[in-house]
Each structure stands twice: as structure tokens, then as C-alpha cells.
Amino acid sequence: MVEVKYKKEKSYEVPYFYTGGEYLYSYGEISKFFREVVENKRLFATKCPKCAKVWMPPRGHCPDCYEETQWVPLNGNGTIMSCTYCYFPGMSGDLIRFLDVPYVCAIIKLDGADTYMIHGVAPPEAKLGVVKTGTRVKVVFREERTGSIADFYFVLETSG
Amino acid sequence: MRKVAIVGIGTIPWRSRYEEYSWRALGLQVTKNVLDDAHLSIKDIDSVVYSIYCDLMMRQQSSTPLIQDYLGMEGKPCVRVMAGAGGEIYALYTAFSQIASGMADIVLLPAIQKGQDWYSFETRSRGDGLLKGFSISTNTTWMQPVVPGVPVFLTVTFIVPHIDRYGTPTPEQLGKVSSKNHKNALVNPEAQLKIDISPKDVMNSRIIAWPTTMYQCCLYSDGAAALILASEEKAKEITDTPIWISGVAVSSYYTPRFESDNLGRLIAVEEAGRRAYKMAGIRDPLHELDVMEVHDLATGCEILMYEELGLCEPGQGGRLIDDGIVEKNGILPVNPSGGRVAAGHVGGVSGLYSAACVVRQLREQAGAMQVSVRSGRGLVEANCGLNGLVGIAILERR
């Protein structure tokens, strides 16, 4: 194995800010989902007219049939298919900063949808195990909504 | 289809940061190393395939022309392959295809990535800068705001549903696999992290997302590695111990399409594995392979991989660590280099590093990491957990 031979001079470091990361982004064919979240506090899924599969998260075309999908409203309740109590906030999740840790990252089957969505559940307490596979949840919309999946989150269906 | 062999390997030690080297210089270092190993010069190379996962991490985009220039490769065809942390085997598959089809005879395959130039001025931390910048690799519409990182995603999508279904992996089994890899790294001169930890130390380390603890998560590094591939005719001129690529396959699985049949399953690993085994003529991998190097981005995924790669029945993966089968002195050692939790990891490089490790094992040049070579075959697996891209190669010494 050949070792890396280190140069004797000390390296020189500079800050650099990448400015190309600002967007005015269009959601295109899934715009309705975010408009309904912001304006009407309602969740929508998409249904394939050919195979009748209901996709969540929504998508403009069924990947199996290539048909354009139609919008279907959901009641916002669902069942947890898998979840984990997460103690690590990371640096990406706006929702996690809002909810704080521990936060339950969960895969949720919303009533009326055939595929599942990955999202966040606010546990009623920090103790492990209250939120688990099979737990029923319902959607809660945040006061400030900006057209992002972090505009809502989930809590136990039984919570007030 | 012509036969293809690996005739040279070039690696450098894994470090969390190489501040004294730019990414181009790291690329040149491993290129020098691999040319030395193969006793070739840069003029002998017909074509270059780069495995570079995220040049934005290295303060650059469209990096291929820069590295072509730095390596003195002007005029030579070059392809840059990007497939997350599965990209390295996708790159191997690409280089393989060029030779198998006759488009090239000798292909250089450098993998380069610096994971730690990003920095968060808000928290004054490189790790935080990496997590923030890296999050754009996740699904920015449906995942970025709600998933704090790869280990959480792997835990909720694969590990927890598997535990729901089979009751394993247990925290003890996770502790044993992570401890195995950390212990293996102690004798790897290139490993980034050398700590002797017990399964209990693993279980008691900082909890990330239950049951995943800190020592079950992969490292992140600056790294580079390179291979040289050659056609059968050239390989026999270049070396006495060509290591043949007797099987190679790539696959992908859907995200964010979650359904009951893909939760808890690494379907693309099974799919690529099946095709690679078929190409290499392998029926019973547990007894026909001498060594495996796989991507343990989270330790639980390594255990799931034992099942997906056909070493045992579904749900029985934990037994392989309980019975010592995958330990360095077991029937089929997995990750004798230390794996991603202890040797080092950065997308685009790890799989080629794993391939170099398997080549060393098959050449019986692995020093203190050497496993027993009986059938002369090893398996390399690379996967990008987030985006579902998987590559598997079977290497063979005849």
C-alpha cells in the first residue's frame, strides 16, 4: 500500500458561499396538493383512472400505466406502518426544528390511499413505545404554511 | 461478450479530512497508485470512467473536464457516473461494458470524493455543514423537510419493519455486527476509525433513531480509490493474477413509493444479487464465496443484506452473527476491512475501495485482514440507501 505523502506547507482555508441555491420553484402538475394545504388545510392524493391505485405522495402520472391521475381528497387520518423515535435533529428538517426531539419519523398509510407517505408524528410524551406500528394518527396543519410538506404533521388520533 | 479483469488497484487511507490535498490531487494520488500496481503508464489507458458522487460538495459542478486535465488525459474518452453511494459499482458496470463490448481494452476507474469541505457557519461545524448540504440529495419535495438524515430513513424504512415482521435484528445482534466491523478495522492500516468496542458499547452509544445508535451509523470522509480494468487478452499480458469480474449487476428500487411489500426489504439488493450470481454461476453463495464487502450505512442494513443476498432464509440474518458465520474467522467473513462504520465512507468511493479490498483478499495480500481463500470468489456490494441504487460485483481468481 502506498502512503499519501503530506506536503510540508500548512493548508490555507477560505470561506465560500454558494449563491446558486436560491429558487423560485414551480410544483408543476402537483401544485394542487400544496395549494390545498396552504389555502384549505386539506390533503389530496392522486388516483389512476385506469388501475384505480391511489398514490400518496401524489404524482401527476401513474408509473405503472402512464395515465394522468385525478385528484381525490383524503380525510387526513391514517395508520402507522413503521416508525422510529428519532433523537437526532439533523440540519435539513424544518419540521424537526418545529417539533423538537424526540420526534417520531413514521411511514403512514393515509385512509383512502394505497401507498404510504414518510412524515413526522409529534409523540404525546418522550417515552418510547406510545407511538408504534398500527397506531392511528390524524393530520394537524401549522399556523404558518409556506407550500411545503412541513406545513403539516401528525398526532395521535385520540389526542384532543 | 469479452471477459474483463481487474489488473490494478490503488487506494489511500480513509481520513475524515484531507485538508492538504484538493480533490484533484487525491485523484492523481490513487491514479499513480493504481498505475504502479498494474505496472502501466497513463499512455496505456484507452478510456476513463469516473465515479464522482457530488462535485458540489467539493465546491465545483461539471468536474469531469477539470480532473481529465489534472490527470493528463486529454483526448481520452471519459464518462462520469453518478448514482449516489451505489455509483461506484454503476461505474464498474460501465467500465465493464466498454471492455466487454470491445469499445476499449484498458479502462481507468478513479473514484474521488471529499465529504468534508462543507461547513456550517451557524453552528461552526463541518458535520452540520455536510448534513445541511447533503440533504439536497434526498427527495426535496417529499422528504427533505421531514427526514433528518440517512440513518433515520434506513431505520424507519428497512430496519423497523423487519423487526416488526421477524423480531430481529435485536439490539444485541446489531451490537455484535457493529463491534465485529470496528474490531476488523483495528488491523486495517487504511481505516479511519480504530476503536475496540464491544456490543454493549455499541448499544450504549448515543441513540439516533431507535434501534440505531451512533456506532451503528457509517462514517463520512474524504477518500479516493482507483481500479484498472482490462480485456482478457490485455490482462494476461499485464499480470499473473488478474481478478476476473465474473458477475456484475445493478438495480434500483422505488422511493418514495412505499407499499407493504417493499417495507423492510432491500429489494434492489436481492434483484442485483440474483442477476450477478446467475452471471457468475453461483448457486450457494454461503459456501461458494470466500469474502463479502457490503455497504453497512446502518448496521441493521448489513443484517438485512445477509438475507437479501441469499445467505439464509428471510428473517434469519441475525443467526449469522450469533453463530459467528460472518466473523473474520467464520465460514463467510463480511466486511473484514471494517465496513462503512469503521473503515470510512463517502458516496462514490466506498464500493471501489471495497472492490480493492476483495482483490487484495483474493490475491492473498490482505495482511492482518486476510481471510481464508478457498473458492477464490468474493462479492462487493454498494448501495445508495436514499435513492435506492444498488450495484453488486462478483470477483474471481482462477
Side-chain angles (χ1 to χ4, degrees), chain B residues 290-291 327-329 333 336 361 364 366-373:
Chain B
D290 294 327
V291 65
E327 297 272 7
K328 202 161 95 183
N329 55 7
Q361 293 285 358
E364 296 184 273
M369 295 181 276
Q370 187 65 54
V371 304
S372 105
V373 176

Side-chain angles (χ1 to χ4, degrees), chain B residues 157-169:
Chain B
T157 312
F158 306 118
I159 302 173
V160 169
H162 191 275
I163 296 175
D164 283 342
R165 197 173 292 145
Y166 298 110
T168 120

Side-chain angles (χ1 to χ4, degrees), chain B residues 13 18 81 114 171 173 192 217 306 332 366:
Chain B
Y18 268 110
V81 174
K114 283 185 142 237
Q173 288 164 343
Q192 178 173 325
C217 298
Y306 302 156
L332 179 47

Side-chain angles (χ1 to χ4, degrees), chain B residues 49-95:
Chain B
V49 174
Y50 293 106
S51 172
I52 297 177
Y53 153 56
C54 182
D55 34 11
L56 214 53
M57 256 191 223
M58 311 192 291
R59 204 194 79 159
Q60 188 63 59
Q61 216 180 55
S62 265
S63 51
T64 322
L66 278 78
I67 187 70
Q68 276 288 86
D69 162 74
Y70 204 80
L71 295 182
M73 299 289 281
E74 287 92 344
K76 303 268 169 82
C78 67
V79 170
R80 176 232 174 142
V81 174
M82 197 310 289
E88 40 268 52
I89 305 298
Y90 267 80
L92 183 80
Y93 170 85
T94 305

Side-chain angles (χ1 to χ4, degrees), chain B residues 6 8-12 14 30 34 48-52 81 84-96 107-113 190 223-229 245 248 293-295 337 340 344-360 380-383 391 393 395:
Chain B
I6 299 174
I9 59 174
T11 59
I12 54 172
W14 286 101
V30 291
V34 72
V48 192
V49 174
Y50 293 106
S51 172
I52 297 177
V81 174
E88 40 268 52
I89 305 298
Y90 267 80
L92 183 80
Y93 170 85
T94 305
F96 179 98
V107 178
L108 173 68
L109 191 45
I112 310 165
Q113 186 64 52
E190 294 173 324
L227 302 182
I228 293 182
L229 271 53
I245 301 176
V248 62
E293 290 276 344
V294 305
H295 264 39
S337 68
R340 310 280 62 79
H345 173 63
V346 73
V349 175
S350 300
L352 285 191
Y353 179 78
S354 294
C357 286
V358 171
V359 167
R360 281 195 187 113
V380 180
E381 184 270 356
N383 74 81
L395 307 185

Side-chain angles (χ1 to χ4, degrees), chain A residues 84-106:
Chain A
T84 179
Y85 277 70
C86 177
Y87 294 84
F88 182 72
M91 291 293 284
S92 56
D94 170 55
L95 184 63
I96 300 143
R97 296 203 201 206
F98 175 75
L99 293 180
D100 209 357
V101 290
Y103 146 99
V104 176
C105 186

Side-chain angles (χ1 to χ4, degrees), chain B residues 227-352:
Chain B
L227 302 182
I228 293 182
L229 271 53
S231 65
E232 182 174 13
E233 186 189 320
K234 294 282 176 182
K236 289 179 174 160
E237 289 166 28
I238 293 169
T239 172
D240 291 329
T241 49
I243 302 296
W244 302 97
I245 301 176
S246 55
V248 62
V250 294
S251 183
S252 68
Y253 57 86
Y254 335 104
T255 27
R257 173 177 174 167
F258 298 117
E259 298 176 87
S260 59
D261 56 359
N262 63 16
L263 282 190
R265 290 282 326 274
L266 296 170
I267 297 181
V269 171
E270 192 224 357
E271 161 70 24
R274 193 177 341 118
R275 281 192 273 118
Y277 288 149
K278 182 160 179 225
M279 191 172 158
I282 291 182
R283 298 256 176 81
D284 178 11
L286 183 62
H287 298 105
E288 293 183 57
L289 293 172
D290 294 327
V291 65
M292 280 175 41
E293 290 276 344
V294 305
H295 264 39
D296 52 329
L297 299 179
T299 299
C301 287
E302 178 173 330
I303 298 181
L304 264 62
M305 263 187 254
Y306 302 156
E307 302 169 15
E308 303 286 0
L309 288 170
L311 304 185
C312 60
E313 290 298 303
Q316 297 291 307
R319 191 179 52 81
L320 268 66
I321 186 68
D322 287 337
D323 294 349
I325 290 170
V326 292
E327 297 272 7
K328 202 161 95 183
N329 55 7
I331 303 171
L332 179 47
V334 177
N335 288 342
S337 68
R340 310 280 62 79
V341 298
H345 173 63
V346 73
V349 175
S350 300
L352 285 191

